[in-house]
Amino acid sequence: MTVETYQASCHCGAIRYEVDLDLSAGTSRCNCSMCNKLRKWGAIVKPDAFRLLGGGPEDTGTYQFGTFSGTYHFCKHCAVHAYGTGELEVLGGKYYSINIACLDVDHAVLAAAPVQYMDGLNNDWFNVPKITSHM
Ligand SMILES: [Zn+2]
């Protein structure tokens, strides 16, 4: 396990944050209705591993759906979904959802990160969906 501090940003740079993350511990792709639209590539961290450096309410829009347990934070200028926040017992309480694609790192670092596929579409988050090639 190697926890490193990564810088992350939306496309235009209005939203910036840093996150303490162990990429070797795995990342996730989910097929729920929202992740499917975004082709989201994520990782979950505890709130103390996340530090927002830029992107106040003037720059950041939010979106919720379904159970309203999570909030998507996206840039009002460039439309990139930079991170999410929420609270779910199954995830250990309060969490931040990192958009792995927003990490400002060499693509080789991203390519080395293991991916776990989650069947959010069927509320079966900890199992792999039947089809993953499109995720
Ligand atoms: Zn932006």
Side-chain angles (χ1 to χ4, degrees):
M1 270 184 82
T2 311
V3 175
E4 290 191 41
T5 301
Y6 295 96
Q7 305 298 311
S9 60
C10 64
H11 189 261
C12 75
I15 297 176
R16 291 179 298 106
Y17 59 87
E18 65 181 21
V19 59
D20 304 325
L21 187 64
D22 179 6
L23 276 178
S24 70
T27 61
S28 65
R29 285 191 182 272
C30 169
N31 65 355
C32 81
S33 60
M34 186 63 176
C35 291
N36 185 54
K37 296 284 188 189
L38 292 171
R39 298 200 71 196
K40 183 155 181 228
W41 185 15
I44 297 293
V45 299
K46 298 287 186 196
D48 64 1
F50 181 96
R51 292 169 294 281
L52 189 65
L53 304 175
E58 68 280 7
D59 299 312
T60 308
T62 58
Y63 180 70
Q64 293 184 307
F65 70 99
T67 61
F68 295 86
S69 57
T71 302
Y72 290 78
H73 299 256
F74 61 91
C75 178
K76 288 180 179 177
H77 313 292
C78 71
V80 167
H81 281 243
Y83 65 97
T85 54
E87 185 166 5
L88 274 177
E89 204 171 312
V90 71
L91 293 177
K94 283 190 180 4
Y95 67 87
Y96 276 74
S97 168
I98 304 307
N99 182 352
I100 294 296
C102 285
L103 297 182
D104 296 315
V105 294
D106 191 277
H107 290 178
V109 174
L110 299 179
V115 176
Q116 179 186 349
Y117 293 93
M118 307 173 85
D119 194 1
L121 182 65
N122 296 303
N123 289 319
D124 192 13
W125 305 91
F126 299 102
N127 286 303
V128 177
K130 286 190 179 77
I131 305 170
T132 60
S133 56
H134 64 300
M135 294 170 65

